[in-house]
Amino acid sequence: MNRYEHEIISDDTSLRLTFRPVYSVNSYSPLHWHSHLEVIYLLDGSMTASVSEKKYTLRKGELLIISPRELHATRGLGEVSYILLQIPCDYLSKTLEQVSLLHFQTYFPSYMESSAQKELCECLLRLLDLYNRKEDGYRLCFSSVVYYFLYILYRNYSRKVSRELRERENRNLERIEETIQYVRNNYRNEISLSEAAGLLNVSPEYFCRLFKKHTGQTFSEYVNAVRLLHFYQDLVQTDYSITDLMEQNGIHNYKVFMRLFKETYHMTPGRLRKSLSEKPAPNPD
């Protein structure tokens, strides 16, 4: 039994994949991985993404492809609209061989758009139109567009890695994932660098290099990001004081926390909570 947890995506029972348009404001998803191929297409706004050890900034009309089992994190910069498509590996395995050895191009900047990239984007917009209309029999057309999207992606933007390299990558992922899961379970408590390194039976110095190499961020940056996310969720969902929420989420350095919060949400926690309370209630249908 696999002892490592990862993000679980609920597949659409009819299409066997996840597709939805997303609108968010200053959203943040800390480092995680899953066994799906993930596609993000920016409709409006911008976001940053960290995939493995590399960082990208996506703008309107740009595309991000995250291969299965790649560590990644995303952050929306203000108001962002995008298409999210997540395809399970068994969906790919129906038509492609050795899917576990495939790696897809990650970033598709608009200024380098090719005819194949344009087709990928057109497919996603076509899927959005079908999704919104939901006309009789749309699932048949939807599935055909998904397969055509995958065909273009596979033919133009994929490569196979060696089995030895993939096995080494998986071992590194599992080592890092053990630490990530520990932080997710214990972010409310004090977490020391030596404690995290001890999980992998390595020195703190080696652990720092290992974590930064495979995630693109320091261990302390990841811990702060997880705490910040949970603080934000509690801030908008409860009436507890900001001081209490900081304490409940393991945040003790007020100065560092305030700087991170304002960098992420562009205002103080108090101002953010007030702005949400001032929003008018939606009109009933």
Side-chain angles (χ1 to χ4, degrees):
M1 179 177 178
N2 191 349
R3 61 192 179 98
Y4 301 112
E5 296 183 9
H6 56 280
E7 183 183 4
I8 304 299
I9 300 171
S10 299
D11 294 335
D12 183 289
T13 54
S14 300
L15 300 174
R16 297 300 303 154
L17 52 82
T18 297
F19 179 91
R20 66 176 183 270
V22 178
Y23 169 78
S24 66
V25 180
N26 293 321
S27 62
Y28 179 60
S29 177
L31 208 62
H32 64 281
W33 68 274
H34 43 67
S35 58
H36 290 55
L37 173 70
E38 181 167 321
V39 180
I40 296 175
Y41 179 61
L42 261 288
L43 298 172
D44 201 13
S46 60
M47 70 163 52
T48 60
S50 172
V51 183
S52 296
E53 72 275 15
K54 297 182 179 179
K55 296 184 178 180
Y56 307 92
T57 299
L58 278 77
R59 297 177 177 83
K60 182 178 178 179
E62 296 187 334
L63 188 63
L64 188 76
I65 305 290
I66 302 165
S67 297
R69 294 180 66 84
E70 276 195 311
L71 283 169
H72 61 282
T74 57
R75 184 191 300 275
L77 304 177
E79 297 185 29
V80 180
S81 297
Y82 60 93
I83 292 171
L84 177 66
L85 173 64
Q86 294 165 318
I87 304 172
C89 279
D90 59 1
Y91 193 100
L92 301 174
S93 299
K94 293 177 181 178
T95 52
L96 295 175
E97 297 180 356
Q98 296 182 316
V99 169
S100 63
L101 301 181
L102 286 180
H103 187 275
F104 299 94
Q105 178 176 317
T106 304
Y107 177 48
F108 295 75
S110 56
Y111 64 85
M112 294 182 61
E113 187 176 59
S114 63
S115 58
Q117 181 177 333
K118 185 177 180 181
E119 281 193 284
L120 289 177
C121 297
E122 289 174 347
C123 284
L124 293 171
L125 292 174
R126 175 63 173 151
L127 291 175
L128 179 61
D129 182 63
L130 290 167
Y131 176 87
N132 288 332
R133 292 176 180 271
K134 289 185 173 63
E135 296 175 344
D136 183 33
Y138 88 97
R139 289 185 177 87
L140 294 171
C141 186
F142 193 101
S143 296
S144 70
V145 177
V146 170
Y147 275 116
Y148 186 60
F149 175 90
L150 292 173
Y151 170 75
I152 300 168
L153 187 65
Y154 173 72
R155 291 285 303 206
N156 296 278
Y157 302 108
S158 72
R159 61 181 174 86
K160 285 187 178 179
V161 300
S162 69
R163 192 171 299 278
E164 293 77 14
L165 175 60
R166 183 47 48 87
E167 289 176 354
R168 185 164 65 250
E169 289 175 344
N170 288 342
R171 286 195 298 271
N172 289 331
L173 173 64
E174 290 182 349
R175 298 183 77 190
I176 296 299
E177 174 62 17
E178 184 171 3
T179 307
I180 287 175
Q181 192 58 48
Y182 181 78
V183 172
R184 288 184 173 183
N185 292 337
N186 296 277
Y187 68 92
R188 297 178 184 271
N189 307 318
E190 289 282 354
I191 300 177
S192 68
L193 184 60
S194 58
E195 188 177 2
L199 294 172
L200 306 185
N201 295 315
V202 297
S203 69
E205 293 77 14
Y206 179 79
F207 173 78
C208 287
R209 294 195 299 271
L210 182 72
F211 195 89
K212 180 66 180 289
K213 177 182 178 181
H214 294 290
T215 68
Q217 60 184 274
T218 67
F219 178 68
S220 62
E221 286 172 339
Y222 175 68
V223 173
N224 286 334
V226 172
R227 288 172 173 163
L228 185 65
L229 174 65
H230 286 281
F231 174 90
Y232 171 82
Q233 293 172 341
D234 290 343
L235 181 72
V236 301
Q237 294 173 5
T238 74
D239 295 324
Y240 290 115
S241 71
I242 291 172
T243 302
D244 286 344
L245 291 180
M246 289 178 61
E247 183 177 345
Q248 291 173 17
N249 287 285
I251 300 166
H252 303 292
N253 190 321
Y254 180 82
K255 185 176 180 180
V256 171
F257 163 72
M258 288 300 294
R259 176 175 58 80
L260 291 173
F261 192 94
K262 286 190 282 188
E263 285 178 356
T264 303
Y265 300 106
H266 309 296
M267 60 182 74
T268 64
R271 179 57 192 159
L272 177 59
R273 174 178 270 177
K274 184 178 179 182
S275 69
L276 292 173
S277 67
E278 290 173 347
K279 285 187 176 180
N283 293 325
D285 293 335

